[in-house]
Amino acid sequence: RGARSCRAAGEAQDETRLSLDRLTQRAVVFLRQSVEGDRRTRERVPVRIAGVFVSEGAATPVVALDLCAGGALLTGGEEVIRRGVTGKLRLADIGTIEARVTERSALGLHVRFGELDADAHARLERALDAARARYAPWVARVQAAAAEIARVFEHGVATGQTSLDELITCDYRPVENAE
């Protein structure tokens, strides 16, 4: 019985770590979209679309984590796909798109799409619209929570319960046991 409980606790810990890793990855994608963090001119939409990147005679399974009309963030091929490589990106429900790896980072592979024909563009826009609709309730909740946090902070500063110096710091320290 004790061994079973330990196994269950270990499995729960592994599942929690995986969930936190996924949440962290999503948070980084979201934060990258802030005005200060995003140099892109097109809206990136979080997605999870399975695909294959075909280049130099090899087909590598990938997953698109975010998507826009001009490119995507991919994970899954970081070990084998080099920066600067051009290939064909096949994404479920979108089809095949010419793509070039413009960067490799801790987030994954950043790809820029080549010219899209009208059909490919329409499939891509449908996928973007579906993702926006799927995440709309979450976006509304996060925006409402952010507005409430801002209200509480502003009230604290206005009433003297706290100061801006206490709320804002550049002295960032890692949180223990968080990766």
Side-chain angles (χ1 to χ4, degrees):
R1 183 178 168 125
R4 199 174 348 175
S5 296
C6 287
R7 252 193 321 278
E11 290 170 3
Q13 180 183 9
D14 291 344
E15 189 63 34
T16 300
R17 182 175 304 279
L18 180 61
S19 294
L20 287 172
D21 288 346
R22 288 180 181 154
L23 178 61
T24 299
Q25 195 170 38
R26 289 284 190 203
V28 169
V29 168
F30 174 76
L31 291 172
R32 199 177 69 184
Q33 292 184 5
S34 70
V35 173
E36 293 81 12
D38 194 3
R39 65 193 180 286
R40 292 174 185 81
T41 57
R42 297 177 179 168
E43 174 194 18
R44 289 273 185 160
V45 178
V47 295
R48 187 162 191 81
I49 302 173
V52 176
F53 188 83
V54 180
S55 68
E56 301 175 336
T60 306
V62 295
V63 176
L65 295 179
D66 75 22
L67 191 64
C68 76
L73 171 65
L74 307 177
T75 188
E78 297 88 347
E79 305 80 32
V80 294
I81 302 173
R82 295 177 287 108
R83 181 176 185 253
V85 167
T86 298
K88 303 281 186 185
L89 176 61
R90 290 193 309 249
L91 294 172
D93 298 326
I94 296 174
T96 302
I97 301 171
E98 185 82 23
R100 184 172 67 84
V101 178
T102 59
E103 193 62 58
R104 289 173 54 172
S105 75
L107 296 175
L109 300 169
H110 305 260
V111 299
R112 180 175 297 143
F113 297 152
E115 291 296 317
L116 300 175
D117 63 34
D119 288 338
H121 182 71
R123 289 190 305 272
L124 181 59
E125 284 301 320
R126 279 194 299 275
L128 288 167
D129 289 343
R132 285 184 195 104
R134 183 171 48 256
Y135 288 109
W138 291 97
V139 170
R141 285 185 198 135
V142 169
Q143 288 174 334
E148 178 62 13
I149 291 167
R151 188 194 66 71
V152 169
F153 283 177
E154 289 168 0
H155 178 76
V157 171
T159 61
Q161 294 173 320
T162 191
S163 69
L164 285 178
D165 288 338
E166 291 172 319
L167 292 176
I168 301 171
T169 182
C170 292
D171 181 25
Y172 297 107
R173 288 173 253 155
V175 176
E176 201 172 305
N177 296 323
E179 297 174 26

